[in-house]
Amino acid sequence: MDLVLTGGTVLTMDRHHPRAEAVAVQGGRIAAVGLAAEIANLIGPTTTVVDLAGRALLPGFLDPHHHFSITAFEPVAVDCRTPPHERLSSILAAIAAAARSAPRGQWIRGWGLRTFLLREKRAPTRWELDEVAPHHPVCLLDGSVHACYVNSAALALAGIDRYTPDPPHGQYLRDTRGELTGTLWESAMNAVYTLSLQAYLDRFGDGVADLLAAACRRLLACGITGVGDALVTPEAARLYRLAEAQHKLPLVVHQLFGGRHFFAPPQEVARGDVDTSDVSDRLRGNTMKLFLDPAFPTYALMRPHPCGGVEHYGERYYTQDELDALVLAAHRRGLQVALHCLGNGAVEMALNACERALREHPRAEPRFRIEHFTLATPAQMRRARDLGVIAVVQPPFVYTRGEAYRRTAQEVGGEVRPLAFGSMLAAGLTVAASSDSPCAPVEPLLGLYALVTRRHRDEAAPIAPEEAVGPLEGLRLYTLNAAYALRRDHEVGSLEVGKRADMVVLSHDPTAVDPEFLRDITVEQTYVDGVRVYQR
Ligand SMILES: [Zn+2]
């Protein structure tokens, strides 16, 4: 054997043999899982033996919905999160500092800005950004990734002025005089987003692969051994191909292909005009992603109307017919379809589209994905189960935004539940967990903490505590079920003989600690294909 890990608790995620004491690895694959005494017989003179010393060994975590082509640039963009920034002036000072050290005309990008966490409860205006960065185009991404805040130079480069009409499914916010404020919602951010990403790619050239490799190492340090980029534009695809050509992807990246711009409909993908196939073992594809509803101004919602029937309200990116056509076209081509749905109205449209696609073109295990699934009824969950839909959810949302989803669920009323992971599992739905980073913290153990405790970062009372999930089930959402969502369950997601030896060593067994301690468990080691790629 090449490698044996022994002397701890092995949580295999294999339903038939959930616990073991040791694992043996040969040629990058799991060769044996069992009792320490059994595996000891496999240790030869060349075997590397890792003493787990009572710690826990699990399959590597997967993050099937993560905006990796955004987070990869975090070290070279301005961190606009709260904390550390409590006030707008603090963010503006950070932009000013970035402008001082950047050559004139170079794009400055920021990320993680959450207006509701700032003392002023508002975004910086373009004029405030002009003042601190008059000679640089600036684009600050909202923490939701559904809005950005830009200055005049960025607007000018994108060819947007006060006479530009709002695009479909987007808004250029304006003041009372009709002047652009610099806040761009949804598809209104398409041009600035693409231009700023192109500029970053041009600026770093081939060196962009090193940025991506460093971003992969940050994931490995969190115990994440595979990631799905939840929206790959042509520029992001270029980034990944560059990194893969230089062999700088130390983990598998799965691309969910969108349209020409971040919020553009993925018509080219549905039609087969762009190559979405697997590039290599490390760079996968064959999934189409589309947004059904916006975050701004509001999700696609539906509620019982007092006069009877159902009232649909909020915004939608597509009519049902448009959506059905896109989903069916991609489904016919053999692509997996991932549908972003925040509101229960979006979930309803997604389920209709999946149902029609299956009726026209039946396929076993279509593995449709509904992303977020934040507001839904038990009836919708059962319908999703019957259609073979996978719910790709974000447990950290409970921790960061749980109160907002709870409030919207109350407004919508009826049977709608917020971030209802427990109900989904009870309905028999396949649930996979992810971070949606940078929209929420990336650490899977923080997500597990939120799944189990339903804790919010600011509130004393847990969010919809009846939706809590046990730690073992929660771990399954981050491993085997996430592998299923990425169509990689045959190769990763559990420690079973023949699977790839993607593994993580944790300081404590998550099923044996006080739930309050879950977020304090540390990732000690990470392995990909049997090779140790991270050591704390
Ligand atoms: Zn997302």
Side-chain angles (χ1 to χ4, degrees):
M1 290 294 145
D2 297 333
L3 172 70
V4 162
L5 301 100
T6 186
T9 302
V10 181
L11 300 174
T12 65
M13 298 300 134
D14 173 357
R15 279 188 196 274
H16 305 292
H17 309 281
R19 280 170 193 271
E21 293 170 358
V23 167
V25 175
Q26 176 77 41
R29 305 240 164 204
I30 310 276
V33 182
L35 299 173
E38 294 164 359
I39 303 294
N41 294 325
L42 304 173
I43 297 173
T46 59
T47 306
T48 303
V49 180
V50 172
D51 181 9
L52 292 171
R55 296 172 295 180
L57 179 70
L58 286 82
F61 298 125
L62 297 164
D63 194 354
H65 183 128
H66 177 129
H67 294 282
F68 199 43
S69 43
I70 294 175
T71 59
F73 292 100
E74 281 174 2
V76 290
V78 180
D79 183 351
C80 297
R81 286 177 298 178
T82 304
H85 302 290
E86 306 287 339
R87 291 182 171 277
L88 270 179
S89 56
S90 166
I91 290 176
L92 291 168
I95 304 299
R100 276 195 298 276
S101 62
R104 239 174 204 255
Q106 185 171 291
W107 277 87
I108 295 171
R109 259 186 163 198
W111 60 279
L113 196 152
R114 290 287 195 180
T115 53
F116 57 87
L117 293 178
L118 289 170
R119 206 78 68 83
E120 295 86 352
K121 308 282 176 217
R122 68 169 179 87
T125 67
R126 66 185 259 221
W127 301 287
E128 287 167 329
L129 293 170
D130 287 349
E131 219 166 283
V132 293
H135 307 301
H136 300 78
V138 176
C139 171
L140 309 184
L141 269 180
D142 185 83
S144 68
V145 187
H146 282 257
C148 64
Y149 312 107
V150 305
N151 68 351
S152 300
L155 289 170
L157 283 173
I160 302 162
D161 63 28
R162 61 174 292 159
Y163 304 106
T164 311
D166 285 343
H169 317 296
Q171 277 184 50
Y172 306 118
L173 267 61
R174 296 160 203 270
D175 67 9
T176 48
R177 300 164 298 162
E179 287 292 348
L180 300 174
T181 64
T183 291
L184 313 179
W185 279 352
E186 306 286 333
S187 65
M189 52 184 272
N190 278 346
V192 211
Y193 181 88
T194 301
L195 282 172
S196 59
L197 182 53
Q198 272 169 356
Y200 267 71
L201 292 178
D202 293 344
R203 181 175 139 204
F204 288 96
D206 282 358
V208 86
D210 295 313
L211 272 178
L212 202 65
C216 289
R217 287 196 293 274
R218 293 197 295 278
L219 296 186
L220 294 169
C222 298
I224 296 169
T225 53
V227 67
D229 185 328
L231 199 287
V232 173
T233 60
E235 290 72 32
R238 202 176 112 205
L239 162 73
Y240 289 128
R241 280 175 186 264
L242 247 165
E244 174 52 1
Q246 295 181 40
H247 306 289
K248 287 198 172 147
L249 292 181
L251 46 76
V252 172
V253 176
H254 185 100
Q255 304 176 88
L256 283 72
F257 287 95
R260 224 184 273 276
H261 299 286
F262 202 87
F263 288 108
Q267 275 138 351
E268 299 84 0
V269 174
R271 277 201 305 260
D273 292 348
V274 286
D275 183 7
T276 57
S277 54
D278 291 350
V279 172
S280 66
D281 176 62
R282 284 284 159 94
L283 185 53
R284 313 283 179 95
N286 292 313
T287 302
M288 180 180 84
K289 157 76 179 281
L290 67 179
F291 292 96
L292 269 63
D293 62 341
F296 299 102
T298 166
Y299 320 144
L301 297 164
M302 52 193 274
R303 63 183 164 202
H305 193 271
C307 304
V310 173
E311 177 193 3
H312 293 264
Y313 66 113
E315 310 292 320
R316 282 149 183 79
Y317 265 94
Y318 302 99
T319 65
Q320 186 72 57
D321 284 345
E322 289 165 348
L323 179 67
D324 292 356
L326 272 169
V327 172
L328 178 61
H331 175 74
R332 261 192 211 289
R333 302 180 49 73
L335 297 180
Q336 180 188 36
V337 181
L339 304 121
H340 157 110
C341 301
L342 289 166
N344 61 327
V347 169
E348 194 70 12
M349 286 182 77
L351 294 173
N352 292 340
C354 293
E355 190 174 86
R356 278 167 212 174
L358 278 181
R359 200 187 308 135
E360 300 275 328
H361 188 82
R363 196 208 295 172
E365 294 201 49
R367 303 210 189 183
F368 295 119
R369 293 172 46 157
I370 291 187
E371 314 293 305
H372 311 308
F373 224 123
T374 50
L375 297 159
T377 62
Q380 289 179 319
M381 297 170 201
R382 290 191 295 272
R383 198 176 158 212
R385 172 203 60 203
D386 293 342
L387 290 166
V389 165
I390 306 157
V392 181
V393 303
Q394 291 75 36
F397 284 5
V398 174
Y399 183 72
T400 58
R401 295 289 281 143
E403 86 299 348
Y405 290 111
R406 183 181 54 200
R407 196 169 54 237
T408 310
Q410 277 159 1
E411 277 165 25
V412 172
E415 299 274 287
V416 170
R417 295 179 189 177
L419 306 169
F421 314 133
S423 296
M424 289 179 186
L425 290 168
L429 190 52
T430 301
V431 183
S434 66
S435 71
D436 201 8
S437 181
C439 305
V442 64
E443 296 84 2
L445 288 161
L446 178 66
L448 185 66
Y449 167 79
L451 268 173
V452 175
T453 65
R454 302 290 294 187
R455 286 261 180 246
H456 184 274
R457 67 176 153 200
D458 298 326
E459 294 197 6
I463 306 288
E466 66 282 4
E467 296 293 348
V469 171
L472 189 63
E473 197 61 41
L475 289 167
R476 191 166 280 119
L477 309 194
Y478 275 103
T479 53
L480 194 55
N481 291 9
Y484 186 81
L486 291 166
R487 290 172 301 172
R488 297 190 61 207
D489 49 309
H490 59 288
E491 55 171 355
V492 290
S494 60
L495 301 179
E496 289 179 72
V497 172
K499 284 197 177 183
R500 295 166 78 142
D502 290 4
M503 308 177 288
V504 60
V505 177
L506 302 179
S507 61
H508 297 75
D509 173 355
T511 66
V513 298
D514 182 320
E516 288 299 326
F517 184 75
L518 284 170
R519 54 183 299 193
D520 300 315
I521 294 177
T522 55
V523 173
E524 306 265 301
Q525 298 176 358
T526 307
Y527 294 81
V528 171
D529 294 328
V531 177
R532 190 188 300 174
V533 286
Y534 170 74
Q535 167 77 46
R536 192 167 91 95

